């Protein structure tokens, strides 16, 4: 597994309120959005910040609703479903707990989740629409 982060997803109570904060108040550019579900913001070269409905995020990442700190996942995107399986096996061999076995998701990608030794969730994802151009601009 290469040392990089491609997506930072924040599980938010209200996508609309988070959009008002990040987009309207801070001026961060929307890359793509699904109203009341998710807002994608181009954050850096090849990096997207996702403001995701917390209940949907918690269900996909197999994590209970937090009592104090919202759910967060760190996503590592790879080039194929086979590579998702390979990285998940590598993480498990390194001591990670597989919390959601890789599977095809309703949105068309293939993802699995593991927890690091502190419980932080990593999503290993193959997204057939994910590309990054030479300038670092992401297409999802």
């Amino acid at each position: 597994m290469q040392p990089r982060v491609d997506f930072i997803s924040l599980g938010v109570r209200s996508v609309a309120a988070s959009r008002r904060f990040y987009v309207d108040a801070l001026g961060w550019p929307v890359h793509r959005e699904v109203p009341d579900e998710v807002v994608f913001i181009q954050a850096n070269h090849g990096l997207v910040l996702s403001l995701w409905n917390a209940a949907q995020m918690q269900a996909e990442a197999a994590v209970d609703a937090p009592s104090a700190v919202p759910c967060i996942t760190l996503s590592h995107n790879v080039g194929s479903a086979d590579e998702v399986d390979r990285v998940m096996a590598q993480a498990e061999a390194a001591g990670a707990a597989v919390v959601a076995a890789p599977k095809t998701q309703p949105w068309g990608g293939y993802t699995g989740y593991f927890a690091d030794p502190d419980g932080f969730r990593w999503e290993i994802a193959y997204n057939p629409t994910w590309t990054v151009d030479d300038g670092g601009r992401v297409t999802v």
Side-chain angles (χ1 to χ4, degrees), residues 12-131:
V12 299
R13 291 181 299 259
S14 167
V15 173
S18 292
R19 188 189 195 290
R20 284 191 297 273
F21 174 76
Y22 286 98
V23 176
D24 299 338
L26 296 181
W28 290 16
V30 171
H31 173 70
R32 183 173 176 222
E33 69 183 296
V34 178
D36 298 316
E37 290 185 25
V38 66
V39 176
F40 296 110
I41 296 168
Q42 179 80 40
N44 202 345
H45 180 92
L47 178 63
V48 169
L49 175 66
S50 168
L51 306 172
W52 193 4
N53 174 285
Q56 291 174 338
M57 181 179 179
Q58 290 156 5
E60 185 174 317
V63 65
D64 294 331
S67 59
V69 178
C71 178
I72 182 172
T73 63
L74 302 170
S75 296
H76 179 80
N77 288 15
V78 296
S80 69
D82 288 341
E83 197 171 352
V84 170
D85 293 336
R86 185 184 61 72
V87 172
M88 290 291 293
Q90 180 184 13
E92 186 174 28
V98 174
V99 296
K103 67 178 185 178
T104 301
Q105 297 295 341
W107 48 266
Y110 182 77
T111 68
Y113 288 82
F114 67 80
D116 76 3
D118 292 301
F120 290 103
R121 294 320 203 244
W122 277 86
E123 174 195 35
I124 307 303
Y126 166 61
N127 182 336
T129 66
W130 172 271
T131 61

